[in-house]
Amino acid sequence: MKYCNDKFMQHYEYEALTFDDVSLMTKYSEILPSNTNLKTSFTKNIKLNIPFVSAAMDTVTGWKMAVAMAKNGGIGIVHKNMSIEEQANEIAKIKKFLNGYIENPVFFKKSDSIEYILNYKAQNEYNFSSFPVIDDKTGKLCGIITSHDFKFIKDSSEKVSNYMSTGLITGQKGIKFKQAYELMIKNRVGKLPVIDENNRLVGMFALTDIKSIVEKTISDMSVDLKHRLIAGAAISPFDYERIEALINNNVDVLVVDTAHGHSKGVLETIREIKKQYSNVEVIGGNIATAEAALALYEAGADGVKVGIGPGSICTTRVVAGVGVPQVTAVYNCAKALRNKIPVIADGGIR
């Protein structure tokens, strides 16, 4: 394929290559596969243990796929083909899936029925079954209902107060991870509610999650500074209501996801996000030229997604007659950016 871009290329015309056009030459090595380090940067501040990302497609990435990706060291980008509330809830599920310390634990009132709790749990697809119980009048912690307690329920119309456990083992506000872990092991409890000086619930520790953190097994996962799984979400240009909802649910990275990323809408949206939420990581795409990569970088992007029509099920090049073969597209973008921000090669893994 002939391709021209006289601003960034020495020659007006040159041959563009895709993956089927090239092979890697083998050379001498002393490195075993088991010693290979696959860690990489996804954005300026997000690191991955494996260089794999699941696509923001409604047939690929929902919250379950994103959890699986993060648990294995990669990251998933939740698709945007749903309502704002639905996508925000998907992100919330991911961020609550693994919690060494749960800042806002799901709790119920003493007067709530078991049926209400079960329906609420099913509706939100929670993968956990232990919930603190709060006194309706005082707002203070008065009990906890666990998966063990649920096994003995005969009538779901009964109040949670009839089945909850009292005489709780609790931690005081400010307790450290290791202290909480030792307290839970000593008392053989799977959940440790954290209370303030007025006996009000301010957080909770989960043994399975904190054990992973203390014993370092979490080091293979993709997690944030609070030891929660990381996740991204796709957005469209100018969708600021969606952006706010995702940020409020602790999304780690926003991906302004379009078929043509070198466009006014994408650039303006990136600028506005970085202006309003300077600490939020933003990726722009998709692009295929050096000029586009520099434009996204100058707008404030923390990473760029390269690839127009390179995927096995993508027909953009055939239908629209646009695009650049992927090896050349990635090379040109990486060369122009000179390691300023990461370059993500879109289009599948072979």
Side-chain angles (χ1 to χ4, degrees), residues 39-93:
K39 292 184 178 181
T40 189
S41 293
F42 183 58
T43 66
K44 284 181 181 178
N45 298 306
I46 295 178
K47 311 295 181 183
L48 301 179
N49 288 317
I50 58 173
F52 296 150
V53 185
S54 63
M57 298 168 62
D58 53 16
T59 54
V60 177
T61 308
W63 75 269
K64 292 181 180 178
M65 180 61 161
V67 164
M69 291 297 297
K71 287 177 70 176
N72 285 281
I75 189 172
I77 309 300
V78 176
H79 71 88
K80 60 187 177 183
N81 295 341
M82 60 181 97
S83 69
I84 293 173
E85 183 180 6
E86 288 172 332
Q87 192 182 24
N89 286 338
E90 294 276 292
I91 294 299
K93 290 173 188 175

Side-chain angles (χ1 to χ4, degrees), residues 22-42:
V22 298
S23 295
L24 298 179
M25 181 183 294
T26 56
K27 291 189 175 184
Y28 173 75
S29 175
E30 294 182 352
I31 300 174
L32 296 175
S34 60
N35 297 328
T36 305
N37 186 343
L38 295 177
K39 292 184 178 181
T40 189
S41 293
F42 183 58

